[in-house]
Every structure is written in structure tokens, then in C-alpha cells.
Amino acid sequence: MFEMTTLVIPTEQRRSDEESLITENKMTNNPDKNIKTLGIPTEEEIKQAQIDFAPRCTSAGRVNDKETQKMVQYILNFARKHSLFVLAYGTGCGAIEIPATMTSRYDAERFGIRGAATPRQADVLMITGYLSTKTLKRVIRVYEQMQDPKYVIAFGSCTINGGMYFDSYNTIKALDRYLPVDVYIAGCMPRPESVINGFIKLQELIQNGNAGGGKCYRDNLDWYRANQQKVIKNWDFPDKYNW
Amino acid sequence: MQKHILNRLKKVFKVEGDIKAPLRIKIVADKDLVSSILLYLKNQMGFIHLNHMSCVDWIEDNKFELVYIVWHPEQKQTVLVHTFIDRDNPVMENIDTIWDQANTYEREMREMYGIEFPGLVGAKEFILEDWQEMPPMRRDFDTKKYAKETYATRPGRENARDVRKEIMKRSGEELPEFAKKYSRD
Ligand code: SF4
């Protein structure tokens, strides 16, 4: 599998080949360009040079080919799967299960799950219970600040279908309308075993390359925004998706 | 002891009241009298602690009932001061000059019931954010309808239907014996 030697790029060689090809073409197509001016290049020449000498991605022999990407992706996923940094953030009743999951009895750190202090360092956002609209606003801001790849795990029946707050005037009912959720953990409240089970499910998804709602969120941003704006009345987010 | 407290209040303020329980005295006072009663209770009779303030919505009588609960730490006595205010024009005297902590209760009542307390310090928004409907704890606010219209439900789970059989079929699992007696059908 690790036949890395085939991937070494004969850079110098290929560059010069390409350049010569390009200059040949130009000579035939555009006779004006043949006249060599010595000294300071004109603006046009600079522009042309920028186009000509820009690094090119061709498939053969480059790092960008499909096989290599697959392998790189495999290694990346493997690493991601075993270092899930969870944002230390809790809503609803469920945050009380997190200390139990993280500490010595259940010891989630043996799976590479551990806390992260800020959203920029975190991979996983755990929604541990019901979300009032006030909290939802903060959660969306937090989610948007996280770096790709990012995953969302939602806890408890409150995030799935409203749970026992189904008729509350202030809590949302289906979380995946507002944020892309990777794994739902059922229960009210799920015990640490099921929390760890959920994390293992997420690891499987990551390994297969199926996890990570970040792209989904970016692609369907309009749909998500429309849903979010329906419940968040005073919308004061930045207009553009800005990270 | 309780009778003594009740009689004293009755004599001074001409209010009605009775003894509810061994540690609880209830008096019903006029809206304008409440702040003087509370001040009297605090300064003259030793009820120095404001336990709680709450509001009840009597929509049938078109009234809000406010309850002030004060506590005497040495005699271990509680006095509940009840008063009624008009529901259409709910204005009540601000008592946060007597007890500072009343401010928090009053701000909550302002938000949840729409009761105005003239001179109340503090931001208009207390717990709710961006609330644009009528105050949500009023009984004519239809919570269920609002929740249904505003928040999307998961298709198929709009009501409390028992879906365990369908899940059993889908996943090919058996319902455990102990779970059978919790059926909703
Ligand atoms: S699912 Fe249950 S435990 Fe979790 S937030 Fe809702 S009510 Fe609380």
C-alpha cells in the first residue's frame, strides 16, 4: 500500500517540458509575441507570465491523482476518528452525563474523546438536550466558528422530536432543521454507555467518510437560514457565511 | 402567637385574613395598602425576609392575584399578603425599595404576565429574548398552537403515538417482556 516512491514528482523536468510546449504553441499562434524585448517587461507580459507559469494540476504523476487522494483521505480519517475534541458546552439536562462519561468510570478518553476549551479547537459539538431559541442562537454562532471538519452529536428525545417539551413556547423540536446532525442518541437522558456508543457510531461514519455536516451546511445554507430565521426573531447575524 | 400577629394586622390596616396552617397566615389586602403593610411587617414586626413574590392569572374574574410571602426568622412564621389587580390595566406598586431582591421577581412578572411596575429599574428583556407575542404566562396565550406554528415537528412524530411496533418491524427486534406493560394502546 505504501508505495510512496511512485508518487515522487519529477518537478523540474515536468515544468520545463510544459513551458517549452506552451512557448511553442504561442510562437505558432501569436507571431507578435515572438519579438523579444529586453529589459523591463510590460504589464501584459507579466499577466501572461502569471498565467503561463502558474502551478498546474495534471493527473498523471501528481499528488492530486485519485489513488493518492484516497490514501491521504484514509490516513486523515483515521487520525480524525481517534482524536475527537469535544467542545465543553452543555444545554438542557444532558450535560450532567458528560462528566460521568469523561471521568474514570467510563473513561471516554480511551477512545480519543476529550474536551476542548474553544470552538476553534473543537471537532464535535454536543447538543445535550432541549434548546430554547435563545440558546439556539448561540449554538449556531458556535457551530459556525468551528473549523472543518466538524460533527454534531445530538442527545436525548428533546433534540429528536421535542421530548417532554413538545408544547413549550420556547424550545425547538427537531434539531436537524437548524444544524446538520451526524448522530442522534436516543433516551431521556442517555446513559454514558449509550453516549460512548454514539461516539463509536460517529467514528465509524468518519472512517467511511460519511460524517461531517459542514459541507452539507454550506451547500444548503439558504434552507438552514430560512429555518433558523423562522424561530430567531431578531436576526442580527452577519450576512455572509464568514469563516 | 399567630392570632396575635393576625389581630395586630387586622387592627392596624383593617384587612381580612385567617390562619391557614400552623406556620402560615394569609391576609388579603387592597392593592394600595400592600406596600405599607409590607413595610410595617418588615420594620415593626420583624418579618425581615421576602421569601417569594408570585402571580396568579384569574382570567374568569379578569384579575391578577399577586402574592407576597414574608418570613420571620426568629418566630418561624410566614405571612402571605394577597392582593388583586385589574387584568386589563395591570399596574402594581414597585416594592424594590423595601427589598432589593423584589426587583428580580418584578422583572420576571413584567415579562411573563405583562404587569407594569412604575419606576422599575432593569432591562425590559429578562429571560426571554426577542419575544414579540403576548406575555407567555397569561392564560389566553395559546402555547400549544404557538409551538405548533413556530417550531417544525418531525414527520410521523407529531403526537404521542406508540411507535415501538413499527420500530420492531423495521429492525427485526423483539419487544422485551418488561416493556410490554408500558404500552399506550
Ligand atoms: S431528553 Fe429528557 S433529559 Fe434530555 S433534555 Fe429533554 S427532558 Fe431533559
Side-chain angles (χ1 to χ4, degrees), chain A residues 134 138 160 167 169 176, chain B residues 127 129-130 143 146 151 154:
Chain A
K134 193 174 175 178
R138 275 83 182 156
I160 298 172
D167 62 350
Y169 57 86
D176 47 66
Chain B
I127 296 171
E129 199 180 53
D130 313 333
T143 314
Y146 178 80
Y151 306 113
R154 186 167 304 282

Side-chain angles (χ1 to χ4, degrees), chain A residues 91-97 127-131 155-160 162-165 185-190:
Chain A
T91 68
C93 332
I96 204 70
E97 299 289 341
I127 310 292
T128 53
Y130 59 83
L131 274 180
F155 268 47
S157 46
C158 280
T159 50
I160 298 172
M164 69 185 219
Y165 295 98
I185 305 173
C188 176
M189 200 57 223

Side-chain angles (χ1 to χ4, degrees), chain A residues 133-134 137-138 159-161 166-174 176-178 184 230-231 233-234, chain B residues 112 126-132 136-137 141 143-144 146-155 157:
Chain A
T133 49
K134 193 174 175 178
K137 198 169 170 178
R138 275 83 182 156
T159 50
I160 298 172
N161 59 5
F166 71 100
D167 62 350
S168 161
Y169 57 86
N170 210 17
T171 58
I172 57 156
K173 290 194 231 175
D176 47 66
R177 305 251 164 174
Y178 312 100
Y184 273 120
K230 206 177 158 206
V231 294
K233 295 288 158 54
N234 185 10
Chain B
M112 293 296 175
F126 181 52
I127 296 171
L128 299 176
E129 199 180 53
D130 313 333
W131 188 255
Q132 292 165 354
M137 286 290 156
F141 175 71
T143 314
K144 235 177 186 170
Y146 178 80
K148 211 170 192 180
E149 281 169 3
T150 318
Y151 306 113
T153 43
R154 186 167 304 282
R157 297 311 314 268

